[in-house]
Amino acid sequence: MFLQLFILLVVTSVCLYKRKTFEFGLSAVVTALLVMSIADQFSLVAWLVVALTSVSYFMPDLRRQYVSKPIYKIFQKIMPAMSETEQDALEAGDVWLDKDLFQGSPDWNKVLNIPKPELTAEETEFLNNETEQLCEMLDEWTINNEHDLPEDVWKFIKEKGFLGMIIPKKFGGKEFSAIAHSTIVNKISSRSTSAAVTVMVPNSLGPAELLMHYGTDEQKDQYLPGLASGKEIPCFALTGSANGSDAGAMTDFGIVKKGEYNGEEVLGIELTWEKRYITLAPVATVLGLAFKLYDPDKLIGVKEDIGITCALIPTDHPGVNTGDRHLPMNLAFMNGTTTGDKVFIPMEWIVGGQDYVGKGWRMLVELLSIGRSISLPAMGVSCGKFSYRYTGAYARIREQFNTQIGNFEGIEEALARIAGLTYRLEASRRMTCNAIDLGVKPSVISAIAKYHMTEMGRTVISDSMDIHGGRGLIAGERNYLIPAYQAIPVAITVEGANILTRNLMIFGQGAVRCHPWVLEEMLSVANPDKVAGLKQFDRAFFSHIGYSIGNFVRTFWLGLTGARFTRSPVNGETEMYYKQLTRMSSALAFVSDVAMLMIGGDLKRRERLSARLGDVLSHLYMATSVLKFYEDEGRQSDDLPYVHWNLQNGLNSMQVALREFMRNFTGNKWLASALYRIVFPWGESYSKASDKIDHAVVKPMLSNTQIRQRLTYPTFISKKADDATGRMEFAFNAVLLAADSELKLYRAIKKGEVENLKTIEERLADAVSKSVLSKKEAKLVQEAADARWDAIQVDSYPKEWFEQFSKQSDQREVA
Ligand SMILES: Cc1cc2nc3c(=O)[nH]c(=O)nc-3n(C[C@H](O)[C@H](O)[C@H](O)COP(=O)(O)OP(=O)(O)OC[C@H]3O[C@@H](n4cnc5c(N)ncnc54)[C@H](O)[C@@H]3O)c2cc1C
């Protein structure tokens, strides 16, 4: 009997592991039992188990009545009610690779077959010409001191079409791909964060994007050509004093009314709003406004409380009040307030027209999944590439204790983070933009990209600051770090503040959107037709059970075998990583189901638990992006240390997140321990990248390597030796050029062949006179010494310079 039960278990497990259909599994089990019975190994218990399961499967009415119905009732009681805004947020946007990673069995061939993202010839030309020219015009120190972009820069941005990158060509826009859009923002950001934000906002969530997806033909014709040419400057106002993260708390409202417009009485809306933090508001000509709409007299339907609605309003419309400017982090991009009190607008100013009343929140969430995937992540990527290039250069030229600081192990640890994360940032950028260019509106992936890529930006900029020491802290023309350091918290706060994004959105949305059955279970409970609801529930619930048991089997087997026997789409050094990612993906699917079963709707409130599972999903996504990037780049050997760094650290982060989840999710020690042993039967196995790998990723940063060029593209590189970053580039090249001659001189001094005189000039003269160095070599060493000296200098200002500020404040007081 035991043998038959054992065979039953093994065959069932294999079918569940392979995710075979019920019919397939049943045929396999029956065949196995028949063979055993013929071989004189009959077991009544095993046959009974099969019979009962079959009856339950093939007689659905019976199953629904006696099994599903009571469970359905319990679910109706325990499932939290979904608000309309929550339902909109959950249903908006698409799932993509996140779904496969969440469900525990990623199809790696599908991942590797995603086309490599490329810029078109036109996009490349725009990047190399107009964007390069714009970067040359930007001087961040002056921009931030004068609190605005210079007039010629504004003109250039508008005339060259930077504000219309996403607008279709038929309206005069550039119609660039997501990857081009992101690459351009990345490049501008490497020169001026204020200019980057100025370009970013009209191309991200705002009037143009709203109109392209939801606008009426008249609205598109009215606004898109002007927005593409820069004649119209847009802003979008959602946030007010009462509502930041919680859009539903907004106090801005509109009442459906009749009023006068263009000398006629028309149906429209009387609006009252008070918005703050609105980027470009101080210079905007068209205001996108989100407000709650009410129809107390039921002039347009039966509902009084219609919901969040979006309208486009010319800022010169009577009653629109563009308020004062804010100074976010003391940066120069335009940001400020806008208010209005009982401002009447006609109905046709609603984005999409009257049919779209009350659909504002869904529209915004849907579009957020596009914009949020591109702009702010591009800023994070820019921090990485910029730091890789210039902090690497600084670590090469700055010497302390007669050694380049890049050679100190402590500095190497921080440089390794910059190097490794830059690779991860670029890989994630490409994967995410690819999704958009393939027509996906990735809601979960956009949250992953926004959160992790801005956080990685923060990490690398902080590391850069530490590595620069005092050189990074002194403000002035020479400092290229402070503006990025100031800007990164802005990227962290806007479009879904990061703490909220990590704790509430990534797993909160991911678990529902990516899970094959949970959304259906939730919808079945919310279904007003209870008979249809029960049918829907029955199907989802039993499929869910099969899916969960399958994940349990897969997780335990993959843990037990260290995923050795699972398939990888490639051979060689990266083969094992695909296998380990399959293992962690399966563990996430299994642990998520246990979490939902044990905690249910309360998981929404247990944010730190959700955040940890979200971390696993995010690291799976980023690690997958790294492997794909490595393949897309042609599996170059230079990239391998970066792949090892990212995969080892990524797997370690997943392990930590799972361990911490298990440690915290239940008061039941035994359950936590059982869960842990299922996922990690032999204990934890993923170590962080070693010091040796850290060394290997840092080495290419410190000289002029091909991977340095590749990874830092398209960072703006100034050709001027007296420019903030140009100076660093110049010194770096000079130091590299003189490296051999410097070494010769150093060795000769050590041996006593050249006198260790006080100045470099004297030492070089002695070396030349003793034929240790040629004149040409001495010249190289001298040039490197001069460039290095110049590059380590910081700004200082005479007291007269400060007097201009006291004069300005005196003038303000008088005025
Ligand atoms: C420079 C700048 C530019 C901006 N541009 C625009 C613009 O153009 N248009 C526009 O409409 N808005 C804009 N905003 C507003 C921005 O989107 C909001 O600042 C953001 O949504 C956060 O709102 P808040 O600042 O009120 O913070 P709050 O919502 O008060 O949040 C405070 C903290 O609480 C956290 N938090 C909130 N809820 C939760 C939760 N449930 N779980 C965990 N943590 C939570 C947040 O993550 C945050 O850390 C801009 C803001 C800034 C600073």
Side-chain angles (χ1 to χ4, degrees), residues 338-637:
T338 166
T339 55
D341 185 19
K342 296 189 177 161
V343 177
F344 184 78
I345 65 162
M347 224 50 179
E348 64 260 27
W349 287 7
I350 291 172
V351 178
Q354 195 173 315
D355 290 349
Y356 279 80
V357 292
K359 298 200 173 138
W361 185 237
R362 195 189 175 109
M363 284 151 89
L364 294 176
V365 175
E366 190 124 338
L367 296 188
L368 202 56
S369 63
I370 301 175
R372 192 169 54 186
S373 300
I374 302 174
S375 312
L376 300 170
M379 242 173 129
V381 178
S382 174
C383 289
K385 294 181 175 195
F386 180 89
S387 297
Y388 188 110
R389 191 159 192 110
Y390 297 117
T391 305
Y394 188 73
R396 180 71 172 84
I397 63 168
R398 175 66 171 165
E399 292 182 348
Q400 288 293 280
F401 305 99
N402 280 329
T403 310
Q404 303 159 25
I405 60 167
N407 286 344
F408 297 129
E409 284 202 355
I411 292 285
E412 191 170 271
E413 188 182 356
L415 284 172
R417 262 194 304 270
I418 296 176
L421 292 181
T422 301
Y423 199 88
R424 188 184 291 178
L425 277 160
E426 177 62 2
S428 308
R429 179 182 84 94
R430 288 181 183 223
M431 184 68 102
T432 310
C433 288
N434 227 339
I436 310 275
D437 285 331
L438 291 171
V440 182
K441 295 192 203 101
S443 54
V444 180
I445 287 178
S446 72
I448 293 176
K450 194 276 164 170
Y451 174 79
H452 285 277
M453 293 170 78
T454 54
E455 289 294 341
M456 285 190 266
R458 167 146 73 179
T459 303
V460 295
I461 282 293
S462 292
D463 279 329
S464 289
M465 279 289 194
D466 292 350
I467 292 168
H468 279 73
R471 173 74 172 83
L473 304 181
I474 305 301
E477 290 101 310
R478 287 169 176 267
N479 193 312
Y480 43 80
L481 285 179
I482 289 179
Y485 191 72
Q486 284 169 301
I488 201 75
V490 174
I492 279 167
T493 302
V494 301
E495 294 189 12
N498 273 9
I499 295 180
L500 165 106
T501 303
R502 173 170 176 258
N503 285 268
L504 203 68
M505 294 174 71
I506 298 178
F507 186 76
Q509 272 190 356
V512 180
R513 294 303 307 273
C514 299
H515 195 287
W517 304 112
V518 162
L519 186 59
E520 208 172 320
E521 283 165 352
M522 287 168 81
L523 293 174
S524 75
V525 169
N527 197 336
D529 177 349
K530 291 301 156 205
V531 177
L534 175 61
K535 259 189 180 171
Q536 196 182 4
F537 177 79
D538 173 74
R539 192 180 96 87
F541 182 71
F542 281 99
S543 305
H544 191 160
I545 290 179
Y547 168 81
S548 302
I549 301 174
N551 285 329
F552 159 71
V553 172
R554 284 178 66 79
T555 304
F556 190 52
W557 175 251
L558 290 168
L560 218 51
T561 57
R564 272 178 200 86
F565 307 115
T566 189
R567 278 204 212 114
S568 162
V570 300
N571 294 320
E573 290 199 42
T574 53
E575 178 182 341
M576 62 173 168
Y577 293 132
Y578 287 93
K579 296 181 172 188
Q580 297 312 319
L581 292 186
T582 299
R583 180 181 166 194
M584 283 296 99
S585 165
S586 181
L588 173 65
F590 167 63
V591 175
S592 299
D593 260 342
V594 175
M596 286 189 264
L597 182 75
M598 298 290 297
I599 309 173
D602 215 29
L603 201 51
K604 202 165 92 177
R605 278 174 287 280
R606 303 281 309 271
E607 288 188 346
R608 296 186 67 182
L609 295 181
S610 297
R612 290 178 180 117
L613 295 181
D615 287 347
V616 181
L617 180 61
S618 303
H619 280 289
L620 278 168
Y621 175 70
M622 292 185 289
T624 302
S625 304
V626 165
L627 291 174
K628 169 80 167 100
F629 181 44
Y630 170 64
E631 295 294 329
D632 281 354
E633 289 295 278
R635 311 185 111 220
Q636 301 192 38
S637 58

Side-chain angles (χ1 to χ4, degrees), residues 93-107:
D94 305 319
V95 284
W96 190 54
L97 188 54
D98 42 334
K99 183 173 167 190
D100 295 347
L101 295 171
F102 186 91
Q103 292 191 4
S105 180
D107 177 350

Side-chain angles (χ1 to χ4, degrees), residues 197 201 205 235-247 275-281 288 290 326-329 331 333-336 489-505 604 607:
V197 172
V201 167
L205 180 67
C235 69
F236 190 82
L238 171 67
T239 308
S241 303
N243 67 301
S245 306
D246 179 11
K275 302 282 193 186
R276 64 175 180 177
Y277 303 159
I278 309 306
T279 304
L280 294 186
H326 301 300
L327 276 180
M329 296 303 283
L331 293 166
F333 65 88
M334 292 290 160
N335 186 279
V490 174
I492 279 167
T493 302
V494 301
E495 294 189 12
N498 273 9
I499 295 180
L500 165 106
T501 303
R502 173 170 176 258
N503 285 268
L504 203 68
M505 294 174 71
K604 202 165 92 177
E607 288 188 346

